[in-house]
Amino acid sequence: MAIRAVLWDIDDTIFDYAAADRAGMRAHLAAEGLLGAWGSVEEALGRWKELTELHWRRYEAEGGDFREQRRERVRDFLGRPGLTAAEADDWFDRYVVHYEAAWELFPDTVPALDLLARDYRHGVLSNSSIHNQDHKLRALGVRDRFEAVVCAAELGVAKPAPEAFHAACAALGLRPDQVAYVGDQPDIDARGAVEAGLRGIWLDRAGTGGRPELTRITGLRELPALLRADTRFGAPSTFG
C-alpha cells in the first residue's frame, strides 16, 4: 500500500529542542542567580532532563494533572519540596520565556515539508500536550502544514503504545499501512511505529548508526526520495 501521509514527531525532529533547551536553561539560571548552584550549565541541564523523563514516565503510568507533574519537576530541580503550585508555575513560566526565545526549526524542516507538500498529507503525534505543541508550531510558523496535531496528554496514551499511533492515523482518516512516521527516537518513534503497522523512519541526526533493522535517515533531505521509493521500506536502511 502506497504511503499517503507522514506523521511527525516534533522535538529534536523538526524543532531543535536540545539547542533551545540548553540556551534557555543557561539564560534562566543566570537570571535567577542560580548558575553558581551547579558545576556547569551542562550539569544543570542534565539534571533537568533526568527529572523531565522521570516525571513524564510517572505521569504516563499514573495519569493525573499535567501541570502538577511539571511542578514536581521544578520542586525536585530546586530541591524545594515545599514550593507552592503558584511558585512552581511562576518559576517554570520564567524559564519558558528564555526557552521560547531560542526556538528554531532545523534548517532542513521547511525544505522537506515543501518537497513533500504536493504528494503527502501531514500530521503530528507528540508525547506532550496539545497546549504546548500547538503553540510551538504556531510560533515557528508551520502549524498550517499539519492537518492534525495529536498529543499524548490528551489521548491518555503515549508512544510507543500502538494506540497512540493508531489514534493519529484515525485523525487523518487513514490506515496505519498508509502512513509513515518520522522521529528521532529509534525505539519510541521508529520501532513503535513499525510495531503499530506504520512505516517507521528513524531520523538519526547525530549519525549514531546501528539498529540495522530500522529504516534510518540522517537528515530530512533524504526523506522525499525514501518515501517515493517504497521498495526501500522493510529493508535495512542504506542511508547514512
Side-chain angles (χ1 to χ4, degrees), residues 5 37 49 67 103 107 147 160:
K49 289 180 176 179
R67 288 172 64 88
W103 280 2
E147 292 182 35

Side-chain angles (χ1 to χ4, degrees), residues 23-234:
M25 182 58 71
R26 180 186 298 276
H28 182 53
L29 291 178
E32 298 286 311
L34 291 173
L35 278 176
W38 302 90
S40 67
V41 172
E42 295 304 320
E43 181 182 334
L45 188 60
R47 177 60 173 160
W48 183 246
K49 289 180 176 179
E50 175 186 331
L51 291 170
T52 298
E53 178 74 10
L54 172 68
H55 288 288
W56 177 257
R57 292 304 173 202
R58 185 175 297 162
Y59 173 74
E60 280 184 323
E62 301 173 6
D65 187 298
F66 181 80
R67 288 172 64 88
E68 189 56 33
Q69 63 83 25
R70 196 173 65 188
R71 292 168 186 144
E72 287 300 318
R73 190 190 343 163
V74 172
R75 292 177 183 122
D76 283 356
F77 182 76
L78 296 175
R80 296 174 60 188
L83 212 61
T84 67
E87 289 170 334
D89 287 344
D90 286 347
W91 192 93
F92 189 86
D93 288 345
R94 294 194 299 274
Y95 157 72
V96 166
V97 170
H98 299 292
Y99 167 56
E100 291 190 3
W103 280 2
E104 288 187 348
L105 295 168
F106 283 104
D108 57 2
T109 296
V110 170
L113 289 171
D114 284 344
L115 286 170
L116 295 170
R118 185 185 66 183
D119 298 324
Y120 302 95
R121 298 164 61 195
H122 297 276
V124 163
L125 173 61
S126 170
N127 275 3
S128 183
S129 73
I130 191 67
H131 172 78
N132 288 344
Q133 301 299 54
D134 187 80
H135 168 62
K136 184 181 295 175
L137 292 171
R138 291 183 189 279
L140 292 167
V142 292
R143 175 61 184 87
D144 62 347
R145 303 286 189 132
F146 305 100
E147 292 182 35
V149 178
V150 178
C151 293
E154 288 71 36
L155 279 179
V157 63
K159 301 176 296 181
E163 294 85 356
F165 292 99
H166 294 165
C169 292
L172 294 172
L174 295 173
R175 298 191 307 271
D177 65 347
Q178 297 174 303
V179 180
Y181 189 84
V182 181
D184 68 293
Q185 296 294 318
D187 291 313
I188 292 173
D189 293 327
R191 183 175 62 82
V194 169
E195 292 181 352
L198 290 76
R199 293 183 174 176
I201 302 167
W202 174 27
L203 177 57
D204 180 18
R205 289 190 180 276
T208 305
R211 306 302 299 271
E213 77 280 10
L214 298 177
T215 299
R216 181 175 71 96
I217 57 176
T218 58
L220 294 180
R221 67 192 179 281
E222 301 165 9
L223 185 60
L226 178 62
L227 289 174
R228 290 171 178 136
D230 285 353
T231 56
R232 294 181 185 272
F233 285 107

